[in-house]
């Protein structure tokens, strides 16, 4: 395909390290190649391919500054910018009460929300924290795979857990805005470990409780736009959630700053930085 369409493009931008050979071929054709680096040590068998992809590129886009430091590339064209979100998805949404009615969620409960599957995330931390919170607090999980539902079959918590399976991407902002506190228990800490969900979390203008991961702190600032726990355990998460439940002023301040900070992570802003 690259050979057949060689006269139709000047640059290749790619992010799958396993097709490094195609990028190398594009360079042989005289094209510029930019590789988006989003991993390091997650897959031991892939290390050599990460390095091949990096060496075959003219320029690099790192999704975390931790990754930039990890690879220590000397290439002249290097940009650091994470993933992003689409601001239009959050415009024109109704108020929380209306959203809950439409999504068939209880209107008189405090709802903690987690969005996504549980690859690299800890359901146990959220369930353990829920056990330590008042009965009026519920956990809503959106996007869970069918194979992951069994994780939530914990005695005594069944009535406090709401599970929604896969939903369309455009539905996610509605769930975010319908909730009270957003949870992000990332359980890995590689240089690339930053949660792609946090940009939509910020845009929703809801308070966030997150683990540090490897690079979440590059976007989330503890006490400013989120609460970032020091250790990924149920006690720390429960303590942070209680702090928000007991301090509406803090909750509102975090939500406001999150909404302000989200503007830096739109896809348009990302394109401008990379360009």
């Amino acid at each position: 395909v690259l050979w057949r369409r060689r006269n139709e493009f000047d640059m290749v931008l790619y992010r799958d390290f396993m097709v490094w050979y195609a990028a190398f071929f594009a360079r042989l054709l005289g094209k510029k190649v930019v590789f988006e680096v989003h991993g390091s040590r997650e897959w031991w068998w892939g290390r050599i391919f990460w390095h091949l992809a990096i060496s075959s590129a003219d320029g690099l886009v790192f999704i975390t500054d931790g990754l930039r430091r990890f690879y220590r590339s000397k290439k002249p064209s290097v940009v650091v910018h994470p993933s992003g979100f689409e601001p239009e998805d959050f415009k024109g949404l109704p108020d929380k009460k209306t959203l809950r009615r439409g999504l068939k969620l209880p209107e008189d409960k405090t709802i903690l929300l987690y969005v996504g599957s549980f690859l690299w995330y800890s359901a146990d931390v959220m369930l353990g924290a829920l056990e330590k919170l008042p009965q009026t607090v519920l956990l809503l999980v959106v996007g869970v795979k069918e194979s992951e539902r069994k994780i939530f079959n914990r005695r005594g918590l069944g009535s406090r857990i709401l599970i929604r399976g896969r939903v369309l991407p455009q539905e996610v902002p509605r769930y975010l805005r319908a909730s009270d506190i957003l949870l992000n228990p990332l359980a890995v800490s590689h240089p690339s470990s930053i949660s792609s969900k946090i940009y939509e979390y910020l845009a929703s203008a809801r308070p966030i409780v997150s683990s540090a991961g490897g690079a979440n702190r590059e976007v989330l600032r503890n006490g400013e736009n989120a609460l970032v726990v020091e250790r990924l355990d149920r006690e720390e998460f429960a303590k942070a959630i209680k702090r928000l439940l007991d301090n509406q002023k803090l909750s509102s301040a975090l939500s406001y700053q999150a909404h302000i900070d989200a503007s830096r992570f739109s896809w348009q802003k990302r394109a401008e930085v990379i360009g």
Side-chain angles (χ1 to χ4, degrees), residues 243-257:
R243 188 179 170 195
L244 292 172
L245 295 177
D246 296 338
N247 191 336
Q248 185 56 49
K249 185 176 180 180
L250 172 63
S251 180
S252 297
L254 293 178
S255 300
Y256 176 78
Q257 190 59 50

Side-chain angles (χ1 to χ4, degrees), residues 2 14 19-29 33 52 55-57:
L2 291 173
Y14 80 111
V19 295
W20 65 271
Y21 55 88
F24 181 75
F25 180 69
R27 289 193 71 181
L28 293 178
L29 294 177
V33 173
L52 285 170
S55 63
S56 299

Side-chain angles (χ1 to χ4, degrees), residues 130 138-139 152-163:
L130 185 63
L138 307 182
L139 172 63
F152 300 95
N153 295 332
R154 179 173 293 197
R155 184 179 301 175
L157 289 178
S159 61
R160 299 179 62 194
I161 300 174
L162 307 173
I163 299 177

Side-chain angles (χ1 to χ4, degrees), residues 89-90 115 166-176 200:
D89 293 343
F90 289 84
V115 177
R166 297 293 194 176
V167 300
L168 295 173
Q170 57 265 34
E171 286 295 303
V172 172
R174 300 174 66 83
Y175 282 98
L176 294 172
E200 288 186 314

Side-chain angles (χ1 to χ4, degrees), residues 163-226:
I163 299 177
R164 301 290 168 90
R166 297 293 194 176
V167 300
L168 295 173
Q170 57 265 34
E171 286 295 303
V172 172
R174 300 174 66 83
Y175 282 98
L176 294 172
R177 284 276 177 87
S179 302
D180 296 294
I181 299 173
L182 311 179
L183 305 183
N184 184 47
L186 182 62
V188 289
S189 56
H190 303 300
S192 60
S193 300
I194 189 168
S195 303
S196 58
K197 60 175 64 49
I198 59 178
Y199 312 108
E200 288 186 314
Y201 274 25
L202 290 169
S204 70
R206 295 289 182 262
I208 302 165
V209 176
S210 176
S211 61
N216 281 334
R217 280 199 177 98
E218 293 185 18
V219 173
L220 301 179
R221 303 186 307 281
N222 185 42
E224 295 183 38
N225 62 7

Side-chain angles (χ1 to χ4, degrees), residues 67 105 120 166 251 268:
L67 273 174
L105 297 173
W120 298 331
R166 297 293 194 176
S251 180
Q268 179 62 38

Side-chain angles (χ1 to χ4, degrees), residues 73-84:
S73 173
K74 302 298 183 182
K75 293 183 182 292
S77 299
V78 172
V79 170
V80 177
H81 199 281
S83 297

